[in-house]
Amino acid sequence: LSLRGIGMKWQLVAVSGVTLVAQLAGYVKLWLMARLFGVSPELDGYYLGFVLPTVLAGALSGILQIGVVPLHAELRMNGTEADVRRFEPLILLGVACTCAVTSFLLVVGADFLVPFLASDSTAAVRNALRFVLPIAALAVFLNAIGDYFSYLLAIYNRYVVACSATVANTLVGALLLAAWPEGGLTNLTVGTILGSAVQTAICLVAAMRHGFRPFGPMPSKQDALATAHEMSKISAWTLPGVVFSNLTVSIPPVMVAVHGDGAVAAFGYAYRLHTATVLLVSAGLPVVLARFASLRAQGETAAVQRLLHRAGWLSALLGLVAIPIVWLFGARIVELLLASGRFDATAVARTAEHWIWLTLGLGFYVWGNIISKYLQADKRPAVLTVHAALVFLAFLSISKLLAFMGEYSVSAAFSLTAVLYAILLHVFAQFGLTRDASKHPPGKFYP
């Protein structure tokens, strides 16, 4: 699993290969979920229960990406190995304390949040949500800590280990569902949390094998305050942006919930199929972020342009290939993959319809995420925050305009927002590249 000395291209190939294995394991769990739950109120409550933990963990993860990775790259470039090793446990302590408090508040406030997340849902959905949310709150702590270890592994050129850990995560949940199907919603929820714990533990052990010391020496008080000040300058703009970005991705289940029992579950299945394709292509984004940060620290603007140029064409190709496949064969694929037990013909039709609409924005979504990594490495949080706010407001507005489409309005709005997401980032990134190297024609990096 060692990737030291291997070029970024082969790192991404290795990461994609491991991600494919993870997706196969994920399919097993998804098939078991479809067989045991179908498109039921219980599964609606499960998906809604993880909305807030996902938003909060994603926000913390975004702060880590924008604040920690570029600073880590600069420290490795300009500091000593001892400086780097003192920096890493300091960040872990801050992340752990923040996540612990956040998870605790979610557990305590679970009963107050249920009406907010499922105000127009049936009693069955609200009861399931009330059970899931306090357990799902642990995901904030586990996922954010796990993401930090994953970023460290990407910096160490060991990100393939982090990807491998997701296989263990998924298999834990799948094995529990297979071994104890009568456990129902309890088994599904607890299995998800246990899987996250196993993934985090694997990443921690791997990071420690390559020099990370969670309880090692920390910087002096003066250096710690200087680090905190530098991160706060970035995070002051980062936090609103990552919250908006994660809301855009996580709020659709809440919006779909008003369309009756099973609507959230059908959207959830389609989104899992959609993200399976996204992950195969973009699983290596932490590697790309680390590469961008390294190139920016070295002033290699031309190399950044070439990397963005290639990524843009690959994203466009992905979208052009995926759309006709899902449009023509999506329903048949869903039937072959999931039709079993409680997952009936109605569930197939609803899931396939959501999947078609989500796929329309696939290429733009991947491309926008790649550009965002460049902007993160460039330490331009103000740009990302303004952009994220505009995209979130656009998503809400488009969803309202497409209300005539019923439960599918959210999926269609998600794709249209992905188009806007990529276009706006084109403009923002273009200004940055022009600023860095006027000798390179602006906009040359995109197709």
Side-chain angles (χ1 to χ4, degrees):
L1 295 178
S2 174
L3 291 177
R4 187 172 297 279
I6 298 177
M8 190 188 72
K9 180 193 300 184
W10 293 109
Q11 291 188 52
L12 295 177
V13 170
V15 167
S16 296
V18 174
T19 303
L20 177 59
V21 176
Q23 291 304 311
L24 293 174
Y27 162 68
V28 174
K29 182 178 180 180
L30 192 65
W31 180 83
L32 288 167
M33 290 172 59
R35 180 178 178 83
L36 297 174
F37 296 97
V39 286
S40 61
E42 294 84 3
L43 198 58
D44 286 356
Y46 169 81
Y47 281 124
L48 290 172
F50 278 89
V51 167
L52 276 179
T54 299
V55 171
L56 294 171
L60 291 170
S61 178
I63 292 173
L64 287 174
Q65 288 187 56
I66 298 177
V68 173
V69 176
L71 289 179
H72 197 290
E74 290 182 1
L75 194 60
R76 293 180 74 191
M77 181 70 61
N78 303 317
T80 66
E81 184 69 15
D83 293 332
V84 173
R85 295 310 179 194
R86 285 192 292 267
F87 172 81
E88 293 171 345
L90 173 67
I91 301 303
L92 175 61
L93 178 63
V95 173
C97 292
T98 302
C99 292
V101 172
T102 304
S103 292
F104 175 75
L105 292 176
L106 273 182
V107 172
V108 172
D111 287 339
F112 299 98
L113 294 170
V114 169
F116 169 74
L117 293 169
S119 58
D120 296 322
S121 300
T122 63
V125 174
R126 290 196 299 272
N127 289 336
L129 172 58
R130 191 171 288 107
F131 169 77
V132 170
L133 185 55
I135 304 173
L138 295 174
V140 178
F141 181 84
L142 293 170
N143 290 351
I145 295 291
D147 283 345
Y148 176 57
F149 296 146
S150 296
Y151 298 140
L152 288 180
L153 291 172
I155 292 168
Y156 300 159
N157 290 327
R158 299 293 191 277
Y159 189 66
V160 69
V161 181
C163 291
S164 301
T166 63
V167 179
N169 180 341
T170 305
L171 286 178
V172 168
L175 290 173
L176 285 175
L177 286 176
W180 187 34
E182 59 272 17
L185 190 60
T186 300
N187 192 5
L188 177 61
T189 307
V190 173
T192 299
I193 296 300
L194 287 177
S196 295
V198 170
Q199 178 178 344
T200 300
I202 291 173
C203 291
L204 170 59
V205 171
M208 291 177 64
R209 285 187 60 192
H210 295 96
F212 174 67
R213 295 292 177 265
F215 304 107
M218 292 197 184
S220 65
K221 182 178 179 180
Q222 182 179 0
D223 290 341
L225 290 175
T227 299
H229 177 68
E230 180 67 20
M231 289 189 62
S232 67
K233 289 194 299 184
I234 302 173
S235 299
W237 276 103
T238 299
L239 183 58
V242 294
V243 169
F244 280 126
S245 296
N246 282 279
L247 281 173
T248 304
V249 174
S250 302
I251 204 173
V254 178
M255 300 172 68
V256 172
V258 302
H259 296 288
D261 288 352
V264 177
F267 176 84
Y269 287 120
Y271 191 72
R272 289 287 294 276
L273 293 171
H274 173 70
T275 53
T277 306
V278 173
L279 285 173
L280 285 175
V281 178
S282 60
L285 284 181
V287 176
V288 175
L289 173 59
R291 178 63 171 165
F292 276 143
S294 177
L295 292 174
R296 293 289 297 119
Q298 299 173 46
E300 296 286 349
T301 304
V304 171
Q305 287 183 310
R306 289 193 297 269
L307 183 56
L308 287 169
H309 179 76
R310 294 167 187 163
W313 281 108
L314 289 174
S315 301
L317 180 63
L318 172 66
L320 292 174
V321 171
I323 291 173
I325 291 176
V326 176
W327 190 274
L328 295 173
F329 307 109
R332 180 58 177 162
I333 293 172
V334 172
E335 183 178 10
L336 289 172
L337 293 179
L338 301 177
S340 178
R342 295 179 64 182
F343 199 87
D344 55 20
T346 301
V348 169
R350 293 174 77 179
T351 300
E353 186 75 11
H354 278 293
W355 192 18
I356 290 170
W357 287 110
L358 288 171
T359 304
L360 292 178
L362 176 62
F364 290 97
Y365 183 74
V366 172
W367 177 219
N369 280 336
I370 293 171
I371 304 177
S372 73
K373 298 305 173 190
Y374 159 71
L375 293 173
Q376 289 171 16
D378 199 28
K379 295 193 295 185
R380 298 169 67 192
V383 168
L384 288 170
T385 292
V386 172
H387 165 265
L390 291 174
V391 168
F392 178 66
L393 293 175
F395 173 70
L396 296 179
S397 300
I398 294 171
S399 298
K400 292 293 184 181
L401 291 174
L402 298 179
F404 64 91
M405 296 177 63
E407 68 179 89
Y408 307 111
S409 61
V410 176
S411 299
F414 196 86
S415 280
L416 289 175
T417 303
V419 177
L420 179 64
Y421 175 74
I423 291 174
L424 285 177
L425 280 182
H426 268 313
V427 176
F428 289 139
Q430 188 174 11
F431 280 121
L433 289 171
T434 304
R435 174 202 66 194
D436 293 336
S438 59
K439 63 181 179 180
H440 294 287
K444 184 179 178 181
F445 62 90
Y446 60 85

